[in-house]
Amino acid sequence: MSGSGYLSPVGASAAPLDWPPWIIWHVPHDATHIPEPWDADFLLDSEGLADELVRMTDHHTAVLFSAEDHPNSLCRAEVSRLLVDVERFPGDADEPMAERGMGAVYTHGSQRQRIRHPVGAITRRDLLDAFYWPHHKRLERLVEDRLSQHGRVLILDCHSFPSVRLPYELDGGEERPEICIGADAAHTPTELIATLKALFEAHGFSTAVNTPFAGALVPLRYYRQDLSVASVMIEVRRDLYIDEQTGTRLPSFDAIRTRIADVLSRGIYAGLKKFSP
């Protein structure tokens, strides 16, 4: 396809350009909803659950990454990750975070505290059937559609992270850059990583790759099977745009959102211009 509508000099000060049509926004962790009757499974009282939602939610990321502006290209989790985390592997044997009680169905929280009654096999199956598998089917349908239309797709995996390491984190280290670029060795082109890193830094953000969080989501159907499916995770440090004690937006929110959109709308096409499925 022609990229004439997207090319721009690096560092140009013009308004953000159009987004490439082969992007899918994946927003897995910005929901706070825990519907009945599942809320009764939690051990926390209302205040404790509210506190845990503040700590564990990627607040406002659908807006921060301009995903809500593109509803036909958005795959967004409907429920809080405390209920079902759609970005974990479905089986605990495959999921590193399961040893901390934070596989696809959490039993423990950010402080490594128990937050839920033990989850039996039937309850786990019902939760995955209700929320996990429908989410991944939506994502697969979007990927299939973009591949059929454009022969390529980029999943933009949209996240945020706290400014201070939480006890549940496995090995994130103490470095907390303002922007973390998460990359997969097979599905994140090196030129895309380099382009985004350079543009974020040109826009004044401190940036690291796969620190403090690593990787980028690819549906299992395509993982290491179809390299025309590219993916990159972008994590924004929360103190840039929200009050971390409440999850409410700071006055800086709109400016940060604009800077991120400028980087991504320019950098994604430029970083994938040599990408040939």
Side-chain angles (χ1 to χ4, degrees):
M1 64 173 280
S2 170
S4 60
Y6 306 108
L7 294 175
S8 174
V10 173
S13 59
L17 304 176
D18 291 336
W19 297 85
W22 28 264
I23 297 177
I24 295 168
W25 280 261
H26 184 239
V27 181
H29 291 157
D30 81 330
T32 59
H33 183 47
I34 301 177
E36 296 179 348
W38 308 106
D39 56 341
D41 291 345
F42 286 85
L43 295 167
L44 303 173
D45 60 21
S46 58
E47 183 177 353
L49 184 57
D51 288 344
E52 192 65 13
L53 285 167
V54 167
R55 285 190 291 264
M56 290 299 296
T57 302
D58 291 355
H59 302 279
H60 312 295
T61 44
V63 179
L64 185 69
F65 285 90
S66 303
E68 286 192 338
D69 298 339
H70 306 271
N72 294 329
S73 298
L74 171 60
C75 185
R76 184 181 193 179
E78 296 178 353
V79 296
S80 168
R81 65 190 296 187
L82 297 183
L83 183 65
V84 175
D85 192 334
V86 298
E87 206 159 68
R88 304 291 200 228
F89 285 107
D92 282 352
D94 301 315
E95 176 51 59
M97 291 302 298
E99 63 94 6
R100 301 214 166 176
M102 301 177 80
V105 178
Y106 290 12
T107 57
H108 289 68
S110 64
Q111 311 302 301
R112 304 195 66 182
Q113 82 281 29
R114 179 169 280 279
I115 62 172
R116 196 184 207 149
H117 295 288
V119 179
I122 294 175
T123 298
R124 178 186 177 84
R125 181 202 64 198
D126 290 347
L127 283 165
L128 295 183
D129 286 348
F131 303 111
Y132 186 95
W133 297 119
H135 177 89
H136 282 271
K137 287 177 182 177
R138 288 195 300 272
L139 181 58
E140 285 189 1
R141 284 196 298 268
L142 283 171
V143 171
E144 184 178 12
D145 177 75
R146 298 303 181 271
L147 289 175
S148 67
Q149 290 190 51
H150 306 288
R152 62 161 61 177
V153 63
L154 174 72
I155 298 170
L156 182 60
D157 201 17
C158 305
H159 291 263
S160 69
F161 65 100
S163 59
V164 177
R165 182 181 181 181
L166 293 173
Y168 84 91
E169 296 178 29
L170 285 176
D171 51 10
E174 298 306 321
E175 182 182 357
R176 312 297 274 195
E178 292 174 321
I179 300 290
C180 165
I181 300 172
D184 177 84
H187 290 273
T188 312
T190 55
E191 186 176 2
L192 176 63
I193 300 168
T195 299
L196 291 178
K197 190 174 190 298
L199 281 173
F200 273 121
E201 291 174 355
H203 280 64
F205 294 103
S206 61
T207 308
V209 177
N210 285 334
T211 297
F213 297 96
L217 180 134
V218 176
L220 290 175
R221 173 180 168 187
Y222 299 97
Y223 187 63
R224 305 295 169 100
Q225 302 297 317
D226 188 344
L227 298 185
S228 60
V229 179
S231 182
V232 65
M233 178 174 70
I234 305 296
E235 298 246 11
V236 181
R237 204 176 69 202
R238 291 179 192 154
D239 61 329
L240 292 178
Y241 75 96
I242 62 168
D243 180 332
E244 292 187 86
Q245 301 304 309
T246 65
T248 57
R249 300 180 191 181
L250 294 175
S252 60
F253 183 91
D254 288 340
I256 295 295
R257 179 182 186 271
T258 297
R259 288 163 66 192
I260 289 171
D262 194 59
V263 169
L264 294 176
S265 62
R266 297 173 187 282
I268 286 171
Y269 186 82
L272 289 174
K273 61 186 176 182
K274 295 181 181 178
F275 175 64
S276 54

